Amino acid sequence: MIAVVPGSFDPITRGHLDVITRARHLFGEVIVAVGDNTTKNYLFTQPERVDLATRAVADIDGVRVLPLAGLLVDFVVEHGGEAIVKGLRFSSDFDYELQMAHLNSHMRPQVETVFLPAGRQFGTISSSLLRTIAHNGGDIAEFVTPDVLDAVTARLARGKDQ
Ligand code: PNS
């Protein structure tokens, strides 16, 4: 059974990797779908976020990363998927995710949404908070892979040069 783990992944964090790994324990194959929300001001472009996520999951068997365009449920069906897996950190995540799950179910009833509680270790971190910490000179090494750390450091250094 194929499951899709969607998100912006700007950039992918150890919290995301925890959810992806646990989704893979439940499903035979996992596709990480990297979205492009036009209302968001991303640090990395969609191809960059796909590349960072691809390198981050390289050691997890049965997981691949693809860019997401259009509706998530259409993407799931087009790729032979049957489930969407989302990690939930707090109740505020749930309110929004429940609304999306209901709309997605309305559009494609055959696609089930599965919520996983965020992991204990990195469960409540978010890409946006990590970007803020890094932007202000803080250390985010514990929360991301070395590749991602290098990419964030390089991107923020470039921003300061401009
Ligand atoms: O990490 P994010 O920003 O919460 O991820 C959002 C994402 C990519 C999962 C979401 O924007 C999405 O599903 N986009 C595709 C368009 C879509 O299907 N929207 C939901 C309609 S109910």
Side-chain angles (χ1 to χ4, degrees):
M1 208 167 156
I2 298 175
V4 174
V5 179
S8 288
F9 304 104
D10 186 41
I12 193 162
T13 69
R14 293 207 186 277
H16 293 133
L17 289 171
D18 175 70
V19 170
I20 292 163
T21 303
R22 286 160 58 214
R24 176 63 185 90
H25 291 159
L26 295 173
F27 295 94
E29 194 183 328
V30 167
I31 301 173
V32 176
V34 179
D36 212 25
N37 186 335
T38 48
T39 66
K40 285 198 173 180
N41 196 7
Y42 289 118
L43 182 61
F44 295 101
T45 65
Q46 189 183 34
E48 288 170 337
R49 287 179 281 118
V50 168
D51 178 57
L52 287 171
T54 301
R55 286 190 273 147
V57 304
D59 291 339
I60 315 174
D61 178 57
V63 177
R64 61 200 163 105
V65 180
L66 293 174
L68 167 64
L71 282 176
L72 173 61
V73 281
D74 291 343
F75 175 96
V76 174
V77 171
E78 279 160 23
H79 291 85
E82 292 170 84
I84 296 165
V85 175
K86 292 279 191 113
L88 291 186
R89 293 166 301 182
F90 345 89
S91 56
S92 53
D93 279 352
F94 179 74
D95 292 348
Y96 179 60
E97 294 296 344
L98 182 65
Q99 195 179 17
M100 282 211 287
H102 284 164
L103 284 169
N104 283 334
S105 170
H106 178 79
M107 291 185 282
R108 296 276 195 172
Q110 72 270 41
V111 176
E112 189 60 89
T113 297
V114 176
F115 292 137
L116 291 184
R120 285 195 303 270
Q121 197 179 5
F122 299 110
T124 59
I125 63 173
S126 68
S127 298
S128 64
L129 279 181
L130 294 187
R131 290 197 305 271
T132 303
I133 292 169
H135 187 73
N136 289 286
D139 181 9
I140 62 165
E142 193 183 345
F143 306 112
V144 294
T145 61
D147 275 349
V148 169
L149 180 64
D150 288 349
V152 170
T153 306
R155 179 54 44 90
L156 292 177
R158 197 184 80 174
K160 279 179 191 141
D161 289 345
Q162 283 172 348

